[in-house]
Amino acid sequence: MQNVSLVYDVVVIGGGPVGENVADRAHTTGLSTVIVEGELVGGECSFWACEPSKALLRPVVARADARRVPGLRQAVQGPLDVTAVLAHRDAMSGHWQDEDQVEWLKQEGVDLIRGHGRLDGPKQVTVQTHDGERIRLSARHAVALCTGTSAVVPDLQGLAEVRCWTSREATSAHEVPGRLAMVGGGVVAVEMATAWQALGSRVTLLVREDGLLGCMEPFAGEMVAQSLREAGVDVRFETKVTSVARAGGELRIELADGGKLTSDEILFAIGRAPRTSDVGLETVGLTPGDWLTVDDTCQVTAVDGGWLYAVGDVNHRALLTHQGKYQARIAGAVIGARAKGEPLDDSWWGAHVATADSVAVPQVVFTDPEVASVGLTTREAERTGRRVDVVDYDIGQVAGAVQFAEDYRGNARVLIDTDRGTVAGATFVGPGVGELLHSATIAVIGEVPIDRLRHAVPAFPTISEVWLRLLETYRT
């Protein structure tokens, strides 16, 4: 075994989109940077999450939209071409090869070391490479942990023997199971139920809670549940799995209420856990397996010296790729500024703080109907004591929605901060509403006064006209 020692300004552990952006942004400030990655450069999002899941969902949603258009619906009544859909998914996932991502790093001047990286004391990282080499990295200025999360699998009787699916298998499977049981009621569960039911599986969705998408407005989960049931998904609420076993090729699932269920595969989509159990946290006084608490610059608060950063999902601020990349741009700029001794702009909405993590996190759920939200929900406003007026409007009454789809079903809700006269949150449910989200995000982050927002005239006939109707409803 050969030992090598190298010195960089910045060492990044984790080569997903978050790690890539930290390294790139730090490098643009003039710092030498290296990424340590044990799997594929591009990470979970590129190969097992965002890209493949949306590639599976796009044909499903496009067909659903087409079926609502007079003159077109008869042309799209047949089943999806499963082979073509899976081939499209494979292409969007780069066929699970990362050469393009590696080439981008080279072009940006960021070095790459393939292997398992672990902290080994302050500003020290050891890497066990795939070919048995041991490399010791020293960081002059910063180490950034960008290791992300992995799917939670429950401690359940019989589970170790059944080869269950997690989100990785759900987005990369190359055969459609005849029967697919899913456990969970969050984003992964509803998106994968949408996709695999449309691809030909008989999906049973087992939800421990009494509704779907519990972190969003209740009407969002209710509308998605109705649509899933109409598509043929067996949605069961307040249901708990107690044991699983595989007999031959068949799964036998026992439920807490005494019920039994058979399936070909079972997917657990019940949450995420930080990938921090084997990254050397104990060498810097932290507990392996924990989420990493950071300040608004993404610096780990429990480690002295200001050299350790935790960026993206691993810090538990906002478990979304786009939000992690936002943090990465902030953190990379912070690292560069501190290395040069430059002052930080750490004021509210300053250049060196990730303010949006706590104020305006946008999210789209790519089901049919889509769900888009940003900012506060009604429950969050109640919990935090924020005074808001709740304004609802039936999107199907907007001319643009009528043009978009016959019998359009959707709902919009905005929360108006009564003290400030600004939009504090927005939720849209309906076909095509994901494209409404950025306008809502700008309204929340920009703290646009309602009296000024009334002058933002939506084009006719578009679904965006719902903004006009919401404001008219609020005025009356």
Side-chain angles (χ1 to χ4, degrees), residues 51-52 54-56 58-59 82-94:
E51 294 288 2
K54 276 54 190 180
L56 289 172
R58 178 58 189 150
V82 173
T83 300
V85 172
L86 296 183
H88 171 62
R89 184 273 318 272
D90 293 352
M92 293 301 293
S93 303

Side-chain angles (χ1 to χ4, degrees), residues 212-223:
L212 301 177
L213 301 174
C215 292
M216 295 185 168
E217 296 285 4
F219 68 82
E222 291 164 6
M223 294 182 72

Side-chain angles (χ1 to χ4, degrees), residues 44-56:
E44 202 79 12
C45 175
S46 297
F47 300 105
W48 299 287
C50 313
E51 294 288 2
S53 66
K54 276 54 190 180
L56 289 172

Side-chain angles (χ1 to χ4, degrees), residues 61-221:
V61 174
R63 182 181 65 168
D65 286 343
R67 285 177 170 176
R68 299 184 183 103
V69 179
L72 182 57
R73 65 171 56 95
Q74 294 303 319
V76 289
Q77 286 304 312
L80 292 170
D81 183 336
V82 173
T83 300
V85 172
L86 296 183
H88 171 62
R89 184 273 318 272
D90 293 352
M92 293 301 293
S93 303
H95 299 277
W96 292 274
Q97 302 293 321
D98 63 359
E99 289 88 349
D100 289 348
Q101 307 259 14
V102 173
E103 182 59 30
W104 178 81
L105 289 182
K106 289 179 181 178
Q107 292 174 358
E108 297 302 309
V110 175
D111 289 348
L112 170 66
I113 298 175
R114 292 189 183 272
H116 181 65
R118 301 181 82 255
L119 292 170
D120 193 19
K123 297 185 182 180
Q124 303 297 313
V125 174
T126 58
V127 184
Q128 189 70 41
T129 69
H130 297 324
D131 57 7
E133 189 176 30
R134 187 174 184 273
I135 299 176
R136 184 173 182 83
L137 300 174
S138 297
R140 294 188 186 95
H141 297 292
V143 175
L145 286 173
C146 307
T147 50
T149 60
S150 55
V152 171
V153 177
D155 183 12
L156 193 66
Q157 180 182 340
L159 189 60
E161 291 76 38
V162 305
R163 302 182 305 279
C164 72
W165 280 16
T166 66
S167 54
R168 284 198 169 193
E169 290 75 22
T171 57
S172 63
H174 282 85
E175 293 184 2
V176 179
R179 298 164 298 176
L180 177 57
M182 296 186 177
V183 182
V187 175
V188 172
V190 297
E191 287 190 345
M192 290 299 93
T194 300
W196 287 104
Q197 178 73 28
L199 289 169
S201 288
R202 297 196 302 278
V203 174
T204 302
L205 186 58
L206 307 172
V207 186
R208 188 166 184 171
E209 296 78 20
D210 60 0
L212 301 177
L213 301 174
C215 292
M216 295 185 168
E217 296 285 4
F219 68 82

Side-chain angles (χ1 to χ4, degrees), residues 355-374:
T355 311
D357 284 348
S358 58
V359 176
V361 175
Q363 182 172 15
V364 177
V365 185
F366 292 86
T367 44
D368 174 38
E370 285 183 345
V371 181
S373 68
V374 65

Side-chain angles (χ1 to χ4, degrees), residues 185 190 209-227 229 237 365 367 369-373 375-382 390 392 410-415 426-430:
V190 297
E209 296 78 20
D210 60 0
L212 301 177
L213 301 174
C215 292
M216 295 185 168
E217 296 285 4
F219 68 82
E222 291 164 6
M223 294 182 72
V224 171
Q226 179 184 354
S227 180
R229 283 173 167 151
F237 293 124
V365 185
T367 44
E370 285 183 345
V371 181
S373 68
L376 287 180
T377 63
T378 308
R379 282 178 293 200
E380 289 169 341
E382 292 172 350
V390 179
D392 290 316
N411 192 55
R413 170 173 291 179
V414 295
L415 306 184
T427 300
F428 306 99
V429 182

Side-chain angles (χ1 to χ4, degrees), residues 138-466:
S138 297
R140 294 188 186 95
H141 297 292
V143 175
L145 286 173
C146 307
T147 50
T149 60
S150 55
V152 171
V153 177
D155 183 12
L156 193 66
Q157 180 182 340
L159 189 60
E161 291 76 38
V162 305
R163 302 182 305 279
C164 72
W165 280 16
T166 66
S167 54
R168 284 198 169 193
E169 290 75 22
T171 57
S172 63
H174 282 85
E175 293 184 2
V176 179
R179 298 164 298 176
L180 177 57
M182 296 186 177
V183 182
V187 175
V188 172
V190 297
E191 287 190 345
M192 290 299 93
T194 300
W196 287 104
Q197 178 73 28
L199 289 169
S201 288
R202 297 196 302 278
V203 174
T204 302
L205 186 58
L206 307 172
V207 186
R208 188 166 184 171
E209 296 78 20
D210 60 0
L212 301 177
L213 301 174
C215 292
M216 295 185 168
E217 296 285 4
F219 68 82
E222 291 164 6
M223 294 182 72
V224 171
Q226 179 184 354
S227 180
L228 286 173
R229 283 173 167 151
E230 290 174 353
V233 176
D234 181 1
V235 182
R236 305 185 189 183
F237 293 124
E238 298 181 313
T239 302
K240 181 181 178 181
V241 175
T242 56
S243 69
V244 293
R246 192 179 289 274
E250 184 176 78
L251 273 170
R252 296 176 180 174
I253 303 165
E254 294 191 1
L255 307 176
D257 62 3
K260 299 181 185 295
L261 178 68
T262 57
S263 185
D264 297 302
E265 302 290 349
I266 185 169
L267 163 66
F268 284 91
I270 58 174
R272 308 289 296 181
R275 287 180 179 159
T276 60
S277 61
D278 189 22
V279 295
L281 293 186
E282 68 280 1
T283 71
V284 295
L286 300 176
T287 303
D290 278 359
W291 299 99
L292 297 175
T293 301
V294 299
D295 62 20
D296 283 344
T297 70
C298 295
Q299 189 178 97
V300 177
T301 56
V303 174
D304 293 334
W307 59 271
L308 183 60
Y309 294 76
V311 193
D313 285 7
V314 74
N315 64 34
H316 208 227
R317 287 168 66 99
L319 276 66
L320 295 160
T321 296
H322 49 269
Q323 213 67 24
K325 291 165 69 174
Y326 161 74
Q327 294 175 16
R329 295 189 293 271
I330 299 291
V334 168
I335 291 168
R338 285 178 171 152
K340 296 177 180 180
E342 298 174 350
L344 295 186
D345 178 7
D346 57 1
S347 59
W348 193 249
W349 298 117
H352 296 118
V353 291
T355 311
D357 284 348
S358 58
V359 176
V361 175
Q363 182 172 15
V364 177
V365 185
F366 292 86
T367 44
D368 174 38
E370 285 183 345
V371 181
S373 68
V374 65
L376 287 180
T377 63
T378 308
R379 282 178 293 200
E380 289 169 341
E382 292 172 350
R383 179 179 57 82
T384 58
R386 187 91 169 263
R387 297 202 314 160
V388 297
D389 286 333
V390 179
V391 187
D392 290 316
Y393 195 81
D394 178 357
I395 302 177
Q397 300 301 310
V398 174
V402 176
Q403 291 281 3
F404 191 92
E406 192 172 65
D407 298 323
Y408 186 105
R409 291 186 299 186
N411 192 55
R413 170 173 291 179
V414 295
L415 306 184
I416 308 298
D417 185 311
T418 57
D419 295 321
R420 308 187 68 183
T422 58
V423 178
T427 300
F428 306 99
V429 182
V433 297
E435 298 305 326
L436 294 174
L437 186 57
H438 197 56
S439 59
T441 303
I442 292 170
V444 173
I445 288 181
E447 298 177 330
V448 182
I450 294 299
D451 289 343
R452 176 63 61 88
L453 197 58
R454 297 186 195 281
H455 294 280
V457 181
F460 181 89
T462 65
I463 299 176
S464 294
E465 197 180 15
V466 71

